Amino acid sequence: AIRAGFRVISALGVGITPWMTSVTDHKIHAKDGHTTRLRVYTPKEMQTIPGANDGDADAAVGVLFIHGGGGWLGSIETHDSVARRLANRTRFLTASVDYRLVPEHTYLNALDDVEAGYHWLIENLPSL
């Protein structure tokens, strides 16, 4: 009931949802085999680092966003507008992990999910 209320309150405070070039969900796998979602936000204008890839090509910059909620509230849906604003204001590709929450899971499961998101972002950033 508390989580449902949090979702409603989060939706009320959204305001105008920032436009993105794209928003895509991906399935990622934690080291224990659990599958969760990673949402990737591509902002309207992307910032790159000149010459960061082998000295010639520009490199994309990525931010791993870990939603709030104290480990027992929140999701990528409740913090969607926050992640969108972060992507647009920084002009960096932003990825948000839908990590497991307590008490259904241990806090270590959440860390495993976030770690899987980090590795996915590092591995896939050059092709995004």
Side-chain angles (χ1 to χ4, degrees), residues 25-45:
D25 284 351
H26 301 270
K27 290 182 181 179
I28 60 171
H29 306 282
K31 59 186 170 189
D32 65 359
H34 177 78
T35 301
T36 193
R37 288 182 302 159
L38 178 106
R39 182 168 290 166
V40 176
Y41 301 86
T42 304
K44 295 181 285 190
E45 298 176 30

Side-chain angles (χ1 to χ4, degrees), residues 2 5 42 45 51 65 95 106 110 113:
I2 292 174
T42 304
E45 298 176 30
F65 175 72
T106 71
D113 295 344

